[in-house]
Amino acid sequence: MRLSEKKKCSIAIGPIHPALKEPIQIEVKIEGEKVTDVDFALGHVHRGIEWIGLRRNPLQILYLAERVCGICNISHPLAFCTAIENAANIKVPERAEYLRVIYAELERIHSHLLFLGVAAHELGFDSILHYTWLVREKVLDIIEYLTGNRITKAVLMIGGIRRDITREQIPKIKEMLKYYEKVYKKLCDIFLDDPTIKLRTRDIGILTKEQALKLCIVGPTARASGVKKDIRQDFPYAAYADLKIEAITPATLLNEIRGDVFDRVIVRLLEVKQSIDIIKRCLKEMPEGPIMHEPVLQKLLVELKQIANEGIALVEAPRGELIHYIRMESSEAPVAWKIRAPTYANVHAIPEILKDCQLADVPIVVASIDPCISCTNRAIIADKNITLNQEKLHGLSVKKTLALIDDKAKGEGDD
Amino acid sequence: MDAEKFIEKLKKELANDVSNFKVVTTEHGLSKSKAYRVWADADRKNFKNVVKKLFSLQEYPHFSVSSGFDAGKTIEILLHFALNYANPKALVLFTLRVKLPKQRPKMKTITDLVPGAMISEKEKREFLGIEIEGLAAGKMFLDDSLSGVYPWRRDSKGADKIAKNLHSGDAIE
């Protein structure tokens, strides 16, 4: 059967697929090449982290929280710490609040650059993927320089932060910020002015403002549809309370909001610049002082085991609103711990944004919500007459990009 | 509208429907800017009415997630809403607690009001074994091999029976 014949079939994308950074199964019904209906299922790598946490003390959970996500391993422990601090009424020293913001924004820069690379790959621009991820190395190097690790940093602590940033370290951070200011213009040229990227992303995978509000979508995906939700602005925690953050929408750059894939790229690109500015301000305005509420961990643990209360925290992770809820009853381990990562909310958007897309658009449209799901290769066709594996699906996307380039060149030739 | 005014409106609107209305504030940064968390309890037969009333305060109340845990004699479900969003420092984090009897843990779905609650409700159904009236069929997280096991329960229906010996390397029976 050829795809051009308008036969109906159903394909399962995932659970393992390069557009998905963590397994999720998306069932797509197509008619010819047009997507007509979408369903999804989660849980393929459910690790029972909350269940494990209910058998650990809060200090042990902190390191478990860091392992919820390989990318957002500042956001998760930060949300967990803030929830526990809320339950125990612990006041975090101001300097630690600024340090938390610096680490959180370094995380946002590397996460958004990771997304831009994935988006380029899904369109077939692997040279841009390699360039974007090369650029990302700089921030990972700084994270390693400051924390000793590129990924699991272990810098958060309940009631503060474990590692200060010394005066000697600041010049290197400033050098990194300068580097990003320099390459930011180039990234804008690549992603915002390239006609082929626009052809593949404009008016594709649209999520309207109303849909985003109804489905409780969060983060850059919601902001790209014109919903100005940003926890750093609406419910500022840590030093964001001093920084007057403003939620970024595509209207910040252009005068219109379409809620398409291009708008999601714009928002994340602008947020890289916003993060650079936030780090600069923090370095300038960060007060001197202690960085831990209680530096002796045995004493802290005794304090935490006495909590008979519940706490909740909201954090703006790179993908949006992240929640941790915790309830302690004067015991070693909590009786309840709930984590809600942003993708948990944003997957509700997948059926809406895929509807009426071409099959070749599926990889970029799914990737455009930056789902926090791991990347390997497999897509299986449910229809026994055809086999459409990951390579073929990705190939369709690349083929569409090349066809658009050809059409454009022909059009210019005709002129 | 700032957070304090919104909380006043919320309290007035829900006065006859909730109990234990509690406001907790925390301070952040050098500016000591306040963040507001509101907690309230609702009867399981009336909680949906409370959710409906939130729509009179904001066109689209933002449902963040529901938490749930086994509290011994009851199963507590906590619905977390981020209200009055998209305004600087004005968000109110509202948590509505609903207690379900262990014998027959049953509640109504809110997916007809908030479609974004679908995954959250399916998760509670699969992990706590509660019945949610009106929620679409189908599993979201756990497959049929765990049928009859509700991992977040602390009684005999919990996951302890299948999770023992995890550290010994022995096969799970």
Side-chain angles (χ1 to χ4, degrees), chain A residues 11-257:
Chain A
I11 61 170
I13 298 171
I16 310 296
H17 187 277
L20 313 169
K21 292 188 220 84
E22 194 180 338
I24 177 175
Q25 184 155 10
I26 302 169
E27 192 185 338
V28 181
K29 287 188 178 141
I30 54 170
E31 201 175 321
E33 287 197 36
K34 192 175 155 189
V35 176
T36 55
D37 199 11
V38 181
D39 197 5
F40 60 88
L42 302 163
H44 303 90
V45 282
H46 201 293
R47 292 164 289 168
I49 281 188
E50 291 140 317
W51 186 88
I52 299 168
L54 300 184
R55 283 139 187 89
R56 302 284 187 277
N57 71 46
L59 290 184
Q60 292 169 323
I61 296 174
L62 179 58
Y63 298 95
L64 200 53
E66 190 164 336
R67 279 149 183 84
V68 171
C69 176
I71 303 164
C72 306
N73 47 45
I74 289 290
S75 298
H76 279 282
L78 176 54
F80 172 73
C81 286
T82 311
I84 279 271
E85 287 151 9
N86 174 227
N89 203 16
I90 290 173
K91 180 77 191 85
V92 179
E94 284 97 356
R95 184 172 177 85
E97 290 194 306
Y98 275 80
L99 290 166
R100 284 179 172 190
V101 168
I102 292 172
Y103 285 118
E105 294 307 317
L106 288 173
E107 177 172 277
R108 196 175 320 277
I109 292 173
H110 93 70
S111 178
H112 283 359
L113 290 173
L114 184 92
F115 160 77
L116 292 171
V118 170
H121 169 70
E122 296 305 347
L123 297 174
F125 291 125
D126 278 358
S127 51
I128 302 176
L129 158 74
H130 295 303
Y131 175 71
T132 318
W133 285 16
L134 174 72
V135 165
R136 178 173 171 259
E137 283 300 298
K138 192 83 174 170
V139 68
L140 291 176
D141 287 347
I142 282 293
I143 289 169
E144 185 183 5
Y145 173 66
L146 296 174
T147 70
N149 256 334
R150 286 157 62 88
I151 302 298
T152 36
K153 299 132 194 152
V155 286
L156 266 293
M157 178 46 65
I158 297 164
I161 201 149
R162 286 182 58 238
R163 279 177 188 256
D164 205 345
I165 292 178
T166 62
R167 277 188 192 159
E168 295 72 41
Q169 287 175 320
I170 289 177
K172 272 211 170 184
I173 303 173
K174 286 185 174 168
E175 186 197 317
M176 174 211 72
L177 296 173
K178 256 188 193 166
Y179 168 78
Y180 278 118
E181 279 174 336
K182 202 173 131 194
V183 295
Y184 177 71
K185 200 183 166 310
K186 192 170 177 183
L187 287 170
C188 286
D189 287 347
I190 293 170
F191 284 97
L192 304 183
D193 296 335
D194 183 275
T196 317
I197 288 185
K198 255 189 199 163
L199 281 169
R200 284 300 315 274
T201 57
R202 249 314 176 211
D203 297 324
I204 304 286
I206 292 173
L207 183 73
T208 64
K209 185 175 181 179
E210 198 188 354
Q211 285 170 333
L213 287 165
K214 267 189 185 167
L215 295 169
C216 306
I217 304 303
V218 298
T221 308
R223 293 193 281 279
S225 295
V227 181
K228 291 191 89 174
K229 283 179 190 171
D230 188 326
I231 300 301
R232 297 172 299 168
Q233 165 198 273
D234 299 348
F235 192 72
Y237 50 97
Y240 290 117
D242 298 338
L243 298 170
K244 291 184 183 159
I245 306 293
E246 199 178 326
I248 285 176
T249 67
T252 311
L253 184 75
L254 310 168
N255 289 325
E256 56 172 353
I257 296 171

Side-chain angles (χ1 to χ4, degrees), chain A residues 40-44 46 50-51 54-56 82-83 86 89 91 94 97-98 210 213-218 227-231 233-242 244-245 285-287 309-314 321 323 325 327 329 334-340 343-345 347-348, chain B residues 22 24-37 39 60-70 76 78 80 82 84-93 95 97 113-121 123-124 127 139-142 151-154 158-160 163 166-167:
Chain A
F40 60 88
L42 302 163
H44 303 90
H46 201 293
E50 291 140 317
W51 186 88
L54 300 184
R55 283 139 187 89
R56 302 284 187 277
T82 311
N86 174 227
N89 203 16
K91 180 77 191 85
E94 284 97 356
E97 290 194 306
Y98 275 80
E210 198 188 354
L213 287 165
K214 267 189 185 167
L215 295 169
C216 306
I217 304 303
V218 298
V227 181
K228 291 191 89 174
K229 283 179 190 171
D230 188 326
I231 300 301
Q233 165 198 273
D234 299 348
F235 192 72
Y237 50 97
Y240 290 117
D242 298 338
K244 291 184 183 159
I245 306 293
E285 295 170 20
M286 182 163 56
N309 199 0
E310 56 199 340
I312 185 165
L314 293 182
E321 176 198 77
I323 297 178
Y325 163 80
R327 184 184 172 101
E329 287 181 354
V335 295
W337 178 30
K338 173 70 193 144
I339 306 165
R340 204 281 269 125
T343 301
Y344 184 108
V347 286
H348 284 107
Chain B
K22 185 175 78 173
V24 178
T25 56
T26 51
E27 290 181 347
H28 301 279
L30 292 165
S31 59
K32 307 287 173 211
S33 173
K34 283 183 179 171
Y36 297 85
R37 293 163 174 85
W39 303 81
Y60 295 104
H62 176 78
F63 173 77
S64 295
V65 74
S66 61
S67 304
F69 67 96
D70 183 341
E76 288 191 20
L78 297 104
H80 306 293
N84 203 30
Y85 53 79
N87 291 308
K89 299 186 180 182
L91 189 145
V92 174
L93 181 49
T95 299
R97 185 191 316 275
L113 303 170
V114 188
M118 187 265 287
I119 296 179
S120 214
E121 289 193 349
E123 184 187 51
K124 304 298 134 355
F127 282 77
K139 288 195 169 185
M140 184 57 69
F141 291 97
L142 303 179
W152 294 347
R153 290 280 278 263
R154 295 153 79 92
D160 282 357
L166 274 184
H167 300 287

Side-chain angles (χ1 to χ4, degrees), chain A residues 340-365:
Chain A
R340 204 281 269 125
T343 301
Y344 184 108
N346 286 345
V347 286
H348 284 107
I350 289 177
E352 301 298 335
I353 59 179
L354 281 180
K355 219 170 265 176
D356 297 332
C357 279
Q358 280 191 346
L359 191 56
D361 293 325
V362 170
I364 182 60
V365 172

Side-chain angles (χ1 to χ4, degrees), chain A residues 287-298:
Chain A
E288 293 294 331
I291 58 167
M292 293 264 267
H293 153 76
E294 174 52 74
V296 182
L297 294 187
Q298 290 89 338

